[in-house]
Amino acid sequence: MICDHILVTSAQILYQRLHMTEMSYPDLAEASFEVGPFPRLRKYSKWFRYAVDLTICIDLFGACCVYQIIIAKTIEQLVEGVDDQKDLNRLRLYVLALLVPIMMLCMITTLKYLAPFSLLADLFIVVCVVATVVYCLREAPSISSRPAWKNALGFFEFSGIVVFSMEGVGVTLPIENNMKDPKQFPKVLCMGMTVVVTFLIMVGFFGYWGYGENSLSPVTLNFPSEIFPTILKCLMGIMIFITFALNFWAPFNLVWHYMSKKHDPKKHWIWERVYRATFIVVITAIAIAFPNIGNLMGLLGAFCLSNMGFIFPAMIDLLVIWQDPGLGKYKWRLWRSVFVILIGILLFVAGTYSNLKGLISSLNS
């Protein structure tokens, strides 16, 4: 949340300097290098923009892989009544079976047909959080029987998943750009993140208390085979299926912005769909190769969001405030940014290593 606030504050400072009303994350990254206090960095402004673009694409396309695995695991349990985490080959077949339905869904090129389902998805998330608390309390043993600490490697796996789950830095600036009063964004951010963090704490705490190390991912797979939980699983599977298309739309449009320039405008219709199909095939192939959802989420959090949510915002902040308003008394703004960058680097190195290790082991299984 602090880094989101830093990012928006930097953007609002540049709006005034450059006489602009809005910027995207890549725009802000490029502008921070171009107008920053270090002339030698200005020639790298485009490369910084491309780095942000690439990281956003990896993160959001990776999230699509996670969604596809969640849908496949949900279908597997509903069809077969079991969820064998050791039999990954069976899960891979379900992931492959989703290729054509997801490809057809992602041929929808406008958001107006998909956006209403996002509101329904939010409603089902609230219901799932409440259901998680109820069903976990049914199974919960004495809380003292659950170890509070695993090991350092497990902590960084956990950190990557947490960052992946709660980091919304990719949509921070679009929300701020579309607000009637952008100066009120800090209040909106605080309220929104309070809800998100509360839900994450509830699901994480009660899910671990109720099911411990045997907890399945997603947590809905732990629910009993009763009528209401089964209906809930079906609806969540459908909502995640629709959310896949919503999540795919943003990074693909970013890629298409560059790829469309290589083709005749008269043939954009066909080429856009060719690229859409190609990306869906690649996403499905990655999901088949790495069906370990926990480590995949952790890797995305550690690799992408350590940069997007920690390192990049701190770098942008330093470049924007270096001369005006300055580093502050005792250079506290400098030390704040250095501290954030160090946290990002630690999460990047340790989290990427621990989660990549888990993914490689699932590749061999």
Side-chain angles (χ1 to χ4, degrees), residues 226-247:
E226 300 172 1
I227 295 177
F228 176 72
T230 301
I231 294 173
L232 193 60
K233 292 175 189 178
C234 292
L235 293 175
M236 280 302 297
I238 294 170
M239 286 300 102
I240 294 173
F241 179 70
I242 302 297
T243 304
F244 183 105
L246 286 166
N247 202 77

Side-chain angles (χ1 to χ4, degrees), residues 38-304:
F38 307 110
R40 291 184 180 181
L41 291 179
R42 291 171 187 170
K43 61 182 178 181
Y44 299 110
S45 60
K46 282 290 184 184
W47 288 105
F48 191 29
R49 180 192 183 93
Y50 296 149
V52 172
D53 281 338
L54 179 62
T55 306
I56 291 173
C57 286
I58 293 174
D59 174 47
L60 295 180
F61 283 134
C64 288
C65 293
V66 172
Y67 292 159
Q68 191 162 352
I69 296 169
I70 291 175
I71 299 167
K73 294 184 77 171
T74 302
I75 295 174
E76 179 186 21
Q77 189 185 69
L78 291 171
V79 171
E80 303 188 18
V82 296
D83 185 274
D84 187 357
Q85 297 192 89
K86 295 182 180 179
D87 189 2
L88 295 179
N89 288 329
R90 180 177 296 175
L91 176 60
R92 288 183 171 109
L93 291 176
Y94 282 94
V95 173
L96 180 61
L98 288 168
L99 173 61
V100 174
I102 286 177
M103 187 178 295
M104 293 176 64
L105 178 69
C106 289
M107 290 299 152
I108 299 174
T109 58
T110 177
L111 280 179
K112 67 179 181 179
Y113 302 115
L114 300 171
F117 292 98
S118 179
L119 295 175
L120 287 175
D122 291 339
L123 175 62
F124 286 126
I125 287 173
V126 175
V127 175
C128 278
V129 171
V130 175
T132 298
V133 174
V134 172
Y135 291 124
C136 287
L137 286 176
R138 284 188 187 181
E139 306 289 334
S142 171
I143 196 168
S144 60
S145 65
R146 300 297 190 202
W149 174 262
K150 188 177 179 181
N151 53 52
L153 212 57
F155 173 76
F156 285 108
E157 289 181 15
F158 161 79
S159 298
I161 294 173
V162 169
V163 173
F164 174 83
S165 300
M166 66 181 294
E167 185 58 73
V169 68
V171 297
T172 298
L173 287 178
I175 292 173
E176 187 263 352
N177 290 337
N178 286 279
M179 287 182 64
K180 184 177 180 179
D181 185 3
K183 292 183 179 179
Q184 297 297 318
F185 181 80
K187 295 180 181 178
V188 175
L189 176 66
C190 185
M191 293 172 60
M193 290 304 295
T194 298
V195 174
V196 171
V197 172
T198 300
F199 281 3
L200 286 172
I201 290 174
M202 290 175 66
V203 172
F205 177 80
F206 287 101
Y208 180 65
W209 185 11
Y211 303 107
E213 294 290 336
N214 296 320
S215 179
L216 302 175
S217 182
V219 72
T220 51
L221 298 182
N222 299 288
F223 293 173
S225 299
E226 300 172 1
I227 295 177
F228 176 72
T230 301
I231 294 173
L232 193 60
K233 292 175 189 178
C234 292
L235 293 175
M236 280 302 297
I238 294 170
M239 286 300 102
I240 294 173
F241 179 70
I242 302 297
T243 304
F244 183 105
L246 286 166
N247 202 77
F248 179 82
W249 186 87
F252 180 80
N253 275 16
L254 189 58
V255 172
W256 180 240
H257 170 74
Y258 293 106
M259 300 303 296
S260 61
K261 299 174 183 178
K262 300 180 180 294
H263 301 286
D264 184 350
K266 295 180 180 179
K267 296 181 179 180
H268 277 184
W269 188 92
I270 184 65
W271 277 112
E272 180 179 359
R273 281 151 182 80
V274 168
Y275 283 118
R276 282 176 175 268
T278 301
F279 273 92
I280 294 300
V281 170
V282 173
I283 288 170
T284 302
I286 294 172
I288 290 173
F290 305 105
N292 189 334
I293 185 174
N295 288 122
L296 183 57
M297 290 169 60
L299 180 64
L300 290 171
F303 182 80
C304 297

